[in-house]
Amino acid sequence: TWSAAADMAASRASPSATLLPRKGTVLVAGGDDPHGTSAGTAELYDPATDTWSAAGSMTVLRQVHTATLLESTWRVVVAGGEDSQGKAHSSAEVYLPDLNAWSAVESMSVGRTHHRAVSPDGIHVLAVGGRSDGTAPSHASAETYTPAPPTPPVVTRIKKAASPFRLVVTGGNLQDGIVVKVNGTPRGSSVRVVSSMVEARPSTRSG
């Protein structure tokens, strides 16, 4: 049987809906609003409480796109779709559930709308078919998205004159945007995570 669930905050046609198993929620993103305009907003449905909450806004307004869960990181890769005029997007972006935020990633080689995407191994995304707009011939092409591997940052210098010390972090691919803080004395210092940045920063200085 079917039973009513709470209404979304916004009306949407052709959005994506992706289960986030680790959090037990459903991510609904984009779509077409009642005025025929592609949407960029997203929201999360919690079945335990039958409630919706905001999930940030995508970097691009899109509908008829794909949203693929990567089980290796529990992130969602959103790719392609179309704008309000029916022109296909080649752009892609990633939803970061721990930050409830979106980050752009490398675009596909062609614009794709009405295409399909799947993760065959929980790490990569395979995008297939689609078309460049609503009336264009369909694509036979396919392509694979590979996330950039995370690399640890390097601590290059710590000033001794003050406590807490100044920590200089350079290099690395900080995909999760970790911010660290140094406490203690030269003889017994410690490093702890204090928050997460909204955006990853490949070179960061804190002082």
Side-chain angles (χ1 to χ4, degrees):
T1 61
W2 291 85
S3 58
D7 289 345
M8 296 183 291
S11 299
R12 307 170 186 271
S14 303
S16 60
T18 310
L19 175 66
L20 305 180
R22 191 176 65 165
K23 293 182 176 292
T25 55
V26 177
L27 173 69
V28 174
D32 188 8
D33 71 16
H35 305 291
T37 302
S38 295
T41 58
E43 37 192 316
L44 288 169
Y45 176 69
D46 186 344
T49 58
D50 189 31
T51 57
W52 294 86
S53 59
S57 293
M58 296 185 290
T59 61
V60 173
L61 308 181
R62 60 179 92 227
Q63 58 179 306
V64 204
H65 51 278
T66 57
T68 309
L69 176 70
L70 300 181
E71 294 183 355
S72 60
T73 58
W74 302 111
R75 298 176 178 182
V76 178
V77 178
V78 168
E82 61 187 52
D83 60 19
S84 301
Q85 286 71 48
K87 182 174 177 57
H89 295 302
S90 62
S91 63
E93 52 194 298
V94 175
Y95 175 70
L96 310 172
D98 290 338
L99 302 180
N100 196 30
W102 295 84
S103 179
V105 296
E106 184 180 356
S107 295
M108 297 183 290
S109 62
V110 296
R112 298 180 189 273
T113 182
H114 298 277
H115 60 297
R116 295 294 180 265
V118 65
S119 178
D121 55 7
I123 301 173
H124 304 86
V125 176
L126 174 67
V128 300
R131 52 171 53 98
S132 298
D133 61 48
T135 59
S138 57
H139 297 307
S141 63
E143 52 191 305
T144 299
Y145 167 71
T146 302
T151 55
V154 178
V155 178
T156 58
R157 176 162 54 98
I158 296 180
K159 283 192 173 182
K160 299 180 179 180
S163 179
F165 310 119
R166 181 180 179 184
L167 175 66
V168 180
V169 181
T170 59
N173 177 13
L174 304 181
Q175 291 187 352
D176 288 320
I178 298 299
V179 178
V180 297
K181 183 178 181 180
V182 176
N183 294 309
T185 66
R187 294 177 179 270
S189 61
S190 63
V191 179
R192 65 186 178 89
V193 177
V194 294
S195 64
S196 295
M197 294 184 291
V198 173
E199 297 180 358
R201 303 178 188 273
S203 180
T204 304
R205 288 179 176 266
S206 176

